[in-house]
Amino acid sequence: MSKRQFKAESKQLLDLMINSIYTHREIFLREIVSNSSDAIDKLHYLSMTKPDEVKVAREDLRIKVSYDKDARTVTVEDNGIGMDKEDLENNLGVIAHSGSLDFKREMEQGKDVDIIGQFGVGFYSAFLVSDEVTVYTKKYGTDQAYRWRSKGADGYTIDECEMDGWGTRVVMHLRPDDDNERYSDYLDQYRLQELIRKYSDYVRWPIHMDVEKEDLVETGETDEDGKPKKDWVTSVEDEVVNSMVPIWQKPKSEATDEECFKFYKEKFRDWEDPMSVIRINAEGAVSYKAMLFIPKVAPYNFYSREFEPGLQLYSSGVMIMEKCKDLLPDCFRFVRGVVDSPDLSLNISREMLQHDRQLATIRANIEKKVKAELERMLKDERDKYLEFYKSFGLQLKYGIVEDYGMKADLLKDLIMFHSLREDKLVTLREYRDAMPEDQPKIYFAAAESVARAKQLPQTEMVSSKGYDILLLSEDADEFALRTLREYDKKEFCDVAGKDLGLETDEERKESEERAEAEKDVLAFVKEALGDAVSDVRLSSKLKSHAVCLTADGDISLEMEKYFSSIPGDQERIKAKRVLEINADHPAYAALKKAYDEDKEKAKDLAVIMYDQAALIAGMPVDDILGYSDRVFKLFG
Ligand code: ADP
């Protein structure tokens, strides 16, 4: 027996891995179990392709996980293909796999140590928890078994040994407990079962464990009353711990929606059934299966930074990532589910994943499917869609704004706004289809609530023309519409903006003449208000109301409110306020009268008019006491 050295780079990697402070040590079991599963796959394949040479029955193939408290070992055993001496040398003596090498490179650059947790490094992860690993193995069809043994970085030995049957047994001697990690926790049936279910539940081959059971058993004796006596008895039973066939691998006929919902609730810890399930079975450039869910209720932290989106990523039943963000566009970050593709390697690194073409193909397809499902719900199950929209509509609107509107087209037919005329949520398509022929723009009114938006004086004229108005009440609403700019060739137009496009040429001429006639009064009001407004105008938007506040330029009043709620930006982002006055309103007549007779009073009235307009627009009045004094002065 001679001591052999690992290849240089393997040694380095082992050193790094063993000594890194590292939280996901538990993945060692997943890695060792999936090696066993691969080994069984190989033997099973041979039994199918060379039935004369390899005679094994499918139902005999199995993996067994056990532990020994006294010996302080965890063992994973399989009756897969096994290894001969050469295989051992080639496979366990060197880490030459691309995934591992990539990992090493990242480690050297001082990047994320956690990478092992996400992707694993195969067999060597045994050293995350072990100070000595022994592999007993016999290749199918050969007579000689071998023992490979290593204490880690300083090399390994191979010698001959005895073994019944064929296959591989990996015995991991756990490291002593230290301040950071209690390795002895793995010497526990519940902990091991938990890990198998967490990471290896859908491994295709049965994973057996001897599990201890406590049963109340009749002792054969009777008590004073003549009843049979019972006692607790511990028995050991061989149990298959994993469920083997994942629900997403089953054809639709074998997994009802209800069963999928049940799976969703267990897997993603939701109390509620999801809105719907999307099943994808893709074959082609990349083959994969996916089962996606649209939840009903947003998790409490959904709209915060804490929420971690992503889909679970499996490769042939082995979980490789708990939350893979790269599989979902951010606008659909509410979707939960699993993606399983045999085309992805277990040892793929996170960085590779980001640039992975296969993954990009999957993501594009998922995006399409989720959109199609939401559209279907909107069309066929509106009430359900409305419920969904209550939870996640805001996310869709954020989605439009994000990334410079990259997803605006994808999402524009999924968002809804409250219609003034219908008094319910409508889509942009529905609004557009209901527009009269002559309506030039799509109108919206924004305020802090639908009720307030409804009350904006500027809505009156637009409504009176027979045009509907979308009532916006969330910050994201207006930003979404501004990102879209138009829908089906009709521009969006803020009723509190400058030009509503409502006047005919003739009407415009008339208003211009009127404004000319009133120009001295308007100039007086402007003077009285100073810097508070950029202009004072006669309004073409008002009918029964006296005044309104509008904004010239790109920044609307609602946007100003939004920005003033964010620390830092208040001063820079202000709307150009314009006071619009209804020249046909008695208030204007009163102002004019005062202008002719009592300039002091006219000045007060001008300021009151402005303050009223600000209040109606939901803007704060700066000099609230002055405002109140001026109003009381009117009492005479
Ligand atoms: P990977 O599985 O990515 O190839 P590992 O480091 O996990 O990398 O394993 C290296 C090789 O060792 C495997 O490819 C396989 O050939 C061999 N091997 C590991 N475990 C077993 C096993 N239980 N039975 C047979 N061969 C095994």
Side-chain angles (χ1 to χ4, degrees):
M1 181 177 99
S2 64
K3 187 122 191 160
R4 291 153 211 249
Q5 293 296 313
F6 286 109
K7 299 271 162 65
E9 61 195 12
S10 313
K11 188 166 156 29
Q12 235 177 331
L13 173 57
L14 268 172
D15 274 341
L16 276 167
M17 197 170 72
I18 294 166
N19 299 318
S20 63
I21 300 170
Y22 175 64
T23 48
H24 279 90
R25 290 176 190 270
E26 63 184 33
I27 58 97
F28 78 96
L29 192 63
R30 172 191 79 176
E31 298 294 311
I32 302 304
V33 164
S34 71
N35 277 347
S36 284
S37 171
D38 290 348
I40 297 178
D41 279 344
K42 284 178 199 159
L43 187 61
H44 179 239
Y45 178 77
L46 288 178
S47 75
M48 309 280 284
T49 50
K50 295 181 177 160
D52 299 335
E53 287 168 44
V54 177
K55 294 186 189 351
V56 282
R58 192 180 201 290
E59 56 274 18
D60 292 337
L61 295 168
R62 64 202 319 256
I63 298 166
K64 176 137 191 170
V65 174
S66 56
Y67 64 99
D68 181 334
K69 269 205 166 101
D70 299 332
R72 209 179 158 75
T73 54
V74 173
T75 298
V76 177
E77 207 175 339
D78 64 71
N79 52 3
I81 184 97
M83 285 176 274
D84 59 19
K85 195 170 178 191
E86 207 187 328
D87 293 335
L88 271 177
E89 228 19 291
N90 291 337
N91 297 334
L92 301 190
V94 62
I95 304 178
H97 310 286
S98 56
S100 314
L101 282 175
D102 257 31
F103 153 76
K104 191 190 82 163
R105 254 176 248 129
E106 289 193 17
M107 291 283 279
E108 277 169 357
Q109 287 160 12
K111 281 200 211 148
D112 213 344
V113 179
D114 224 28
I115 203 96
I116 331 170
Q118 299 277 10
F119 307 103
V121 286
F123 174 76
Y124 293 90
S125 57
F127 289 104
L128 287 170
V129 297
S130 316
D131 50 18
E132 184 176 62
V133 179
T134 313
V135 179
Y136 301 88
T137 183
K138 183 154 91 188
K139 191 160 183 162
Y140 182 87
T142 67
D143 297 324
Q144 184 58 55
Y146 293 93
R147 188 182 68 174
W148 179 100
R149 178 169 270 179
S150 170
K151 284 187 187 320
D154 60 332
Y156 59 92
T157 58
I158 296 177
D159 47 7
E160 295 182 356
C161 68
E162 291 295 314
M163 203 174 147
D164 292 336
W166 68 89
T168 303
R169 183 160 84 241
V170 180
V171 182
M172 291 164 276
H173 184 269
L174 300 183
R175 305 160 114 189
D177 294 351
D178 58 31
D179 292 345
N180 297 315
E181 191 86 22
R182 282 181 49 86
Y183 299 97
S184 42
D185 285 352
Y186 297 117
L187 300 169
D188 177 75
Q189 93 182 28
Y190 299 104
R191 179 78 176 120
L192 292 173
Q193 278 177 319
E194 177 197 43
L195 290 181
I196 292 168
R197 292 204 183 102
K198 179 169 177 188
Y199 293 109
S200 314
D201 200 31
Y202 303 115
V203 163
R204 285 181 299 287
W205 306 104
I207 304 170
H208 291 256
M209 264 187 86
D210 284 338
V211 291
E212 281 187 12
K213 291 227 161 102
E214 297 273 326
D215 285 312
L216 212 48
V217 175
E218 289 183 13
T219 58
E221 294 167 30
T222 49
D223 61 15
E224 310 77 90
D225 305 329
K227 285 193 186 142
K229 270 193 184 171
K230 287 183 178 175
D231 212 352
W232 286 103
V233 173
T234 310
S235 62
V236 176
E237 268 173 42
D238 178 70
E239 205 173 74
V240 175
V241 181
N242 57 331
S243 34
M244 290 192 279
V245 184
I247 192 164
W248 62 84
Q249 292 285 2
K250 292 184 185 171
K252 210 170 168 172
S253 55
E254 281 175 34
T256 62
D257 281 3
E258 281 65 40
E259 282 166 333
C260 296
F261 288 2
K262 187 168 163 281
F263 162 76
Y264 163 84
K265 287 193 281 192
E266 279 167 15
K267 180 111 187 160
F268 300 106
R269 308 233 165 83
D270 196 345
W271 297 107
E272 297 263 12
D273 276 345
M275 278 292 161
S276 64
V277 51
I278 305 169
R279 311 177 205 219
I280 307 177
N281 181 2
E283 270 160 32
V286 194
S287 24
Y288 68 95
K289 292 214 166 69
M291 183 170 276
L292 310 176
F293 299 93
I294 299 174
K296 194 176 279 179
V297 189
Y300 73 98
N301 62 357
F302 181 71
Y303 288 103
S304 79
R305 269 168 207 274
E306 273 163 53
F307 179 79
E308 262 189 89
L311 300 176
Q312 275 198 354
L313 185 60
Y314 284 79
S315 171
S316 301
V318 177
M319 188 176 87
I320 47 179
M321 210 172 170
E322 181 107 44
K323 286 190 169 164
C324 181
K325 267 175 69 178
D326 302 316
L327 282 169
L328 268 181
D330 212 43
C331 56
F332 293 151
R333 68 212 298 264
F334 46 81
V335 174
R336 318 291 305 263
V338 296
V339 173
D340 189 348
S341 171
D343 297 348
L344 295 171
S345 145
L346 253 191
N347 283 339
I348 192 168
S349 85
R350 190 180 309 180
E351 220 148 81
M352 282 159 71
L353 215 51
Q354 253 161 27
H355 302 119
D356 195 285
R357 296 251 301 282
Q358 298 173 327
L359 218 63
T361 312
I362 300 178
R363 179 178 49 222
N365 197 25
I366 285 178
E367 180 177 298
K368 255 196 284 175
K369 297 276 183 186
V370 172
K371 182 186 176 187
E373 173 60 12
L374 292 176
E375 277 180 328
R376 188 202 60 75
M377 256 162 67
L378 180 60
K379 194 165 140 273
D380 301 340
E381 299 178 285
R382 185 148 181 131
D383 285 348
K384 230 167 143 183
Y385 189 80
L386 289 173
E387 207 177 337
F388 155 79
Y389 196 74
K390 208 153 104 195
S391 300
F392 300 111
L394 190 57
Q395 176 59 34
L396 297 180
K397 288 182 279 194
Y398 283 147
I400 288 188
V401 181
E402 273 159 10
D403 294 328
Y404 309 100
M406 212 167 76
K407 298 286 179 204
D409 255 2
L410 179 82
L411 302 171
K412 66 175 191 265
D413 285 311
L414 296 174
I415 56 171
M416 302 179 100
F417 297 98
H418 198 97
S419 142
L420 177 65
R421 188 194 295 153
E422 305 288 328
D423 199 22
K424 63 173 195 196
L425 288 173
V426 297
T427 63
L428 294 175
R429 178 82 266 153
E430 286 158 354
Y431 179 99
R432 179 72 181 82
D433 287 346
M435 266 169 72
E437 196 82 12
D438 67 342
Q439 182 176 335
K441 299 177 180 196
I442 298 177
Y443 295 102
F444 68 84
E448 57 270 30
S449 66
V450 164
R452 289 296 296 264
K454 224 183 252 184
Q455 284 188 340
L456 286 180
Q458 294 95 322
T459 58
E460 223 178 0
M461 186 63 89
V462 179
S463 292
S464 75
K465 300 250 177 199
Y467 306 154
D468 193 8
I469 299 172
L470 299 173
L471 303 174
L472 277 42
S473 59
E474 272 166 322
D475 296 332
D477 291 356
E478 192 173 345
F479 287 106
L481 294 189
R482 281 176 188 270
T483 305
L484 287 170
R485 300 231 312 275
E486 54 163 46
Y487 182 84
D488 195 6
K489 302 193 190 68
K490 293 287 179 186
E491 242 180 88
F492 292 107
C493 176
D494 185 354
V495 296
K498 190 176 181 187
D499 180 19
L500 305 190
L502 288 176
E503 286 177 307
T504 60
D505 288 349
E506 207 166 298
E507 283 167 338
R508 178 161 298 153
K509 213 168 141 237
E510 240 170 68
S511 343
E512 276 164 14
E513 282 167 14
R514 184 106 194 244
E516 182 59 29
E518 304 295 332
K519 81 169 191 288
D520 291 346
V521 185
L522 295 176
F524 174 83
V525 176
K526 167 81 184 78
E527 168 99 36
L529 299 180
D531 290 341
V533 291
S534 67
D535 201 5
V536 175
R537 285 189 211 126
L538 292 187
S539 183
S540 60
K541 297 170 190 141
L542 298 173
K543 274 180 78 121
S544 66
H545 298 284
V547 287
C548 67
L549 205 57
T550 62
D552 273 5
D554 290 335
I555 310 291
S556 71
L557 296 168
E558 281 312 299
M559 284 164 87
E560 176 183 322
K561 277 189 221 167
Y562 169 74
F563 285 118
S564 68
S565 69
I566 301 175
D569 272 340
Q570 290 97 321
E571 287 314 310
R572 273 192 297 124
I573 302 172
K574 286 248 186 266
K576 277 168 94 182
R577 297 181 184 199
V578 176
L579 175 65
E580 293 200 13
I581 304 175
N582 180 354
D584 297 326
H585 196 277
Y588 186 66
L591 173 73
K592 263 177 88 166
K593 186 157 177 278
Y595 173 76
D596 289 336
E597 293 166 6
D598 178 352
K599 290 277 186 304
E600 259 323 291
K601 183 174 178 191
K603 208 172 152 192
D604 279 351
L605 291 183
V607 177
I608 290 173
M609 277 179 143
Y610 170 73
D611 285 344
Q612 297 282 28
L615 283 173
I616 293 167
M619 311 294 283
V621 169
D622 293 333
D623 178 14
I624 195 83
L625 210 59
Y627 167 74
S628 159
D629 285 346
R630 276 186 284 275
V631 172
F632 285 132
K633 236 198 230 171
L634 296 178
F635 285 51

